Amino acid sequence: MAADLSTPARQALIALMVSVERASNPDLRRNYRVEVTKGAREELEREKLISWEKGPRGAIFYELTDKGWRRARQEFRSAPPERVTGPWLLHYATLRHLDSLMERADYKIADVFAGPDPGPATAAGAAGEPSVEDRVRAAYLDLARTPGDWIRLVAIRARLTDVARSEQDRVLTEMDRRREIHLDPDPARNELPQDALDAAILIGGEAKHLITIGRA
């Protein structure tokens, strides 16, 4: 039987489900205008539905446990919490339609929420132009022989010459923070050519020259 959760706990559970990856309260407020309140955190933790850890600058990052994902799946069939506003009623109506589709197609929740929330379409995205994040991933996949290979950032930047260096750094830092990529110093940095040194990104005061995607 599903845990009887309060409305804030159910909303936090849904927010972490659609976020897919671990997220902090600033992330959830920015993307969904929802946060994991102290009471909701205690409820969800008591039911073993979330795990959390402290990140940079003391920020707390939350993610669903396996039990949390199973509980989130039950929300697709649940009545909305009492006294919620119209947008939440529409949200639960959408979940009911999605539930019907998943049942007919034998989809699991992992089939639907398989990657991080891409966010709303921008004007560029609507026109079919890939985002800088998409271009970083595409450049890596083109350069790497297998997922998890280490690639020098200088090679990635060479594919992004039309993007300002500051924007490249912002996107790379954000992707690294979300653990979509991993950046690392080159062990042979004393032997690197100048262009590879210049292409490094500073994170936490350390120069990172290498990027990988798909490494556990």
Side-chain angles (χ1 to χ4, degrees):
M1 183 177 177
D4 187 15
L5 300 175
S6 68
T7 296
R10 290 176 69 180
Q11 291 175 336
L13 187 82
I14 292 296
L16 291 171
M17 177 186 73
V18 297
S19 179
V20 179
E21 296 191 330
R22 71 176 197 150
S24 65
N25 269 334
D27 295 328
L28 298 177
R29 284 193 296 267
R30 181 179 64 252
N31 295 330
Y32 313 119
R33 299 182 187 175
V34 170
E35 65 178 35
V36 183
T37 63
K38 181 175 183 293
R41 183 182 74 192
E42 291 173 349
E43 269 189 84
L44 295 170
E45 192 174 21
R46 184 169 60 249
E47 298 294 332
K48 297 182 172 54
L49 302 179
I50 62 167
S51 62
W52 59 273
E53 63 180 359
K54 285 194 174 181
R57 296 181 292 279
I60 297 177
F61 288 84
Y62 303 93
E63 61 183 336
L64 296 180
T65 62
D66 288 344
K67 184 178 179 182
W69 279 103
R70 292 193 296 271
R71 178 62 180 81
R73 177 67 180 92
Q74 295 173 21
E75 285 293 303
F76 288 60
R77 308 183 182 98
S78 300
E82 295 182 1
R83 294 186 294 278
V84 292
T85 57
W88 276 98
L89 297 178
L90 292 171
H91 165 75
Y92 272 85
T94 301
L95 287 183
R96 290 193 295 272
H97 284 284
L98 186 55
D99 176 63
S100 296
L101 173 63
M102 292 173 68
E103 287 295 317
R104 291 195 304 271
D106 195 28
Y107 285 162
K108 307 302 181 188
I109 195 168
D111 297 322
V112 178
F113 297 94
D117 180 2
T122 61
E129 298 176 12
S131 67
V132 177
E133 289 190 11
D134 290 336
R135 292 179 60 187
V136 168
R137 295 186 189 94
Y140 176 86
L141 291 174
D142 190 42
L143 293 164
R145 292 185 178 181
T146 59
D149 284 350
W150 289 102
I151 300 296
R152 285 181 178 173
L153 271 180
V154 64
I156 301 293
R157 294 194 190 275
R159 308 289 184 95
L160 302 171
T161 54
D162 60 320
V163 179
R165 173 65 181 258
S166 59
E167 177 64 5
Q168 292 182 34
D169 287 355
R170 184 193 69 78
V171 168
L172 289 167
T173 300
E174 179 64 15
M175 293 177 76
D176 182 65
R177 186 191 68 78
R178 298 197 306 256
R179 297 183 178 178
E180 295 178 17
I181 63 174
H182 185 71
L183 301 167
D184 222 37
D186 193 317
R189 53 187 169 275
N190 293 331
E191 303 170 14
L192 291 177
Q194 191 59 47
D195 62 344
L197 293 172
D198 293 341
I201 183 171
L202 281 175
I203 296 181
E206 185 175 38
K208 313 284 183 115
H209 316 87
L210 301 171
I211 179 175
T212 182
I213 300 178
R215 180 178 291 267

